[in-house]
Amino acid sequence: MAGVFDTAWFRRPARRRLTFCVIALILAVLCVWPRHYLARADLLPQDSPNGLSALLGPGGGGGLAGLGALLGNHQSIEADLTMARSYVVLRDVIARLRPSSPRGASEARRAEIGLRRKVDIAAIRGSILQITVRDADPVFAKAVVTAYVGAIQGSLTRLSLHQAAQKRAVATNRLSEASTQLASAQAALTRFRAENKLALPEAQLGAGVSELAALQGRLQAKLVELRTVRQFATDANVRVQAVAAEIAGLQSQIAAAQTASRGQGGPNLAAMALQSAQYLNLYRDEKFAEALYAIYTRFLEEVTTDELSANANIDVIEPPYVDPARQFNAWAVGLLILTLVLAFAAEYYIARPPVGRRG
């Protein structure tokens, strides 16, 4: 820099200042000419309901919220941003801008490179996608932004439909297995009722077990009473004989209940405890199968809803518009500032040169 400032051209104040003024004037003109326009749009990607994860979340599945988290929710803003900047969206935008103009590979490549230079897609606060296009033609800049909005929405729609198709395949498969499991559980429960001649197994088995338990409880009480009475009287005592007769009656009732025939009005009370356990196991299997069937049925309904609302995946917060404020060419502004700094440095250097260069 010292070598440049020490030349005869820069040593003359008029030439030096005229040079910097001409350069600054040219750059000042280039700051505003050729005029560029800024077109912009703001988009807000929406969270589409993820059927099973929503169903198994805190509102639908209580303790299964962790499983819902593993199944995943809507993709992050980084994923939306990556998709918006993808090559597929770029080709879709070019096809929307020039739907009927045939061009070769080299021309398509130049169009892609030129469009990437004009477009800036950024994620701003609030998970908002902002599309910005700068061009000398305001109509073209707005058309590019509009094409990007449509291409991004179309890409999100295709992604939602693809995810819904995958979930539908899983839901259909699981629903078929759940239907088979439910039919098997219901058939086993019906067969149990028919074999044991129980119209209402839960009520009948409960009543039978309660009856047997009541008889055994009364028998134990009478046995305790008999031991107590014998401590104060002999077997010839009337009280002892009465208690012994009651004990014999209770024992005969329990024996009759335990050896009763199935064809004489009901199941054998001796086997009721085992039958009750069998019934509870079958009933539990049926309810579990019903719960699975209901879950996958609702999941399939959620998938259908996702498919029908696949295109409702984005909100246009700010429609495409051309910014009315004047736009400046950043490179020319930067060079103008640099020129002014160099002019100030030259004047300072000439006015106060280093000690070794004075004279």
Side-chain angles (χ1 to χ4, degrees):
M1 185 178 297
V4 174
F5 290 160
D6 286 336
T7 59
W9 182 274
F10 281 93
R11 277 292 179 180
R12 296 184 178 183
R15 291 183 179 180
R16 181 178 69 251
R17 293 167 184 169
L18 179 62
T19 300
F20 281 113
C21 287
V22 170
I23 295 175
L25 180 61
I26 294 174
L27 291 176
V29 173
L30 292 177
C31 286
V32 295
W33 185 89
R35 183 177 181 181
H36 285 78
Y37 296 87
L38 176 67
R40 180 182 290 130
D42 295 333
L43 310 177
L44 178 63
Q46 293 297 313
D47 293 334
S48 59
N50 191 346
L52 189 56
S53 63
L55 185 63
L56 298 179
L64 297 179
L67 179 57
L70 291 177
L71 293 172
N73 296 312
H74 179 71
Q75 63 267 17
S76 63
I77 186 61
E78 287 78 11
D80 293 326
L81 184 61
T82 301
M83 183 274 305
R85 294 174 176 175
S86 65
Y87 181 74
V88 175
V89 172
L90 178 63
R91 292 299 301 269
D92 191 4
V93 170
I94 295 176
R96 290 170 184 266
L97 294 174
R98 301 177 182 178
S100 59
S101 59
R103 51 188 182 277
S106 60
E107 184 180 355
R109 183 61 179 170
R110 287 196 298 271
E112 294 168 2
I113 295 175
L115 197 59
R116 282 191 183 275
R117 291 175 178 174
K118 296 176 182 293
V119 180
D120 179 38
I121 303 177
I124 61 179
R125 185 165 46 189
S127 300
I128 296 176
L129 290 179
Q130 187 176 78
I131 305 172
T132 304
V133 177
R134 297 178 183 272
D135 193 78
D137 184 0
V139 177
F140 177 74
K142 185 177 180 180
V144 172
V145 175
T146 303
Y148 257 98
V149 172
I152 292 174
Q153 186 173 16
S155 183
L156 286 175
T157 298
R158 289 191 296 270
L159 179 62
S160 298
L161 290 176
H162 178 68
Q163 292 176 346
Q166 291 180 327
K167 291 189 290 185
R168 177 174 289 277
V170 175
T172 303
N173 182 29
R174 297 302 303 158
L175 184 61
S176 176
E177 295 182 4
S179 300
T180 304
Q181 184 177 356
L182 177 59
S184 177
Q186 290 175 341
L189 190 58
T190 302
R191 187 166 53 252
F192 175 83
R193 290 172 177 171
E195 291 177 353
N196 294 276
K197 300 179 181 180
L198 296 173
L200 297 173
E202 186 173 0
Q204 291 176 263
L205 290 175
V209 171
S210 298
E211 180 184 355
L212 182 59
L215 290 175
Q216 291 177 343
R218 290 171 58 189
L219 177 60
Q220 293 298 324
K222 290 299 178 181
L223 290 175
V224 173
E225 183 181 357
L226 179 61
R227 288 197 298 269
T228 304
V229 173
R230 281 180 172 175
Q231 292 178 358
F232 305 99
T234 63
D235 291 342
N237 186 276
V238 176
R239 180 58 181 168
V240 173
Q241 293 178 357
V243 174
E246 291 179 6
I247 291 174
L250 290 173
Q251 290 176 340
S252 63
Q253 290 180 24
I254 293 174
Q258 291 178 342
T259 58
S261 174
R262 291 177 181 266
Q264 295 180 357
N268 192 337
L269 293 178
M272 278 189 176
L274 179 59
Q275 291 177 357
S276 179
Q278 293 176 349
Y279 170 75
L280 291 177
N281 289 334
L282 294 174
Y283 183 76
R284 178 200 59 200
D285 294 342
E286 182 192 32
K287 290 303 177 183
F288 179 74
E290 286 181 355
L292 281 182
Y293 182 82
I295 286 176
Y296 290 117
T297 301
R298 291 175 58 187
F299 184 25
L300 195 59
E301 292 176 357
E302 293 282 348
V303 172
T304 303
T305 303
D306 290 349
E307 291 175 342
L308 294 176
S309 61
N311 57 349
N313 48 39
I314 198 168
D315 284 341
V316 181
I317 299 177
E318 191 74 51
Y321 70 98
V322 178
D323 194 341
R326 175 173 287 276
Q327 306 299 316
F328 297 94
N329 297 322
W331 63 271
V333 174
L335 290 178
L336 177 60
I337 295 174
L338 179 61
T339 300
L340 295 177
V341 171
L342 290 177
F344 177 79
E347 293 296 330
Y348 184 83
Y349 179 83
I350 297 299
R352 301 181 63 180
V355 177
R357 295 179 178 272
R358 293 179 181 179

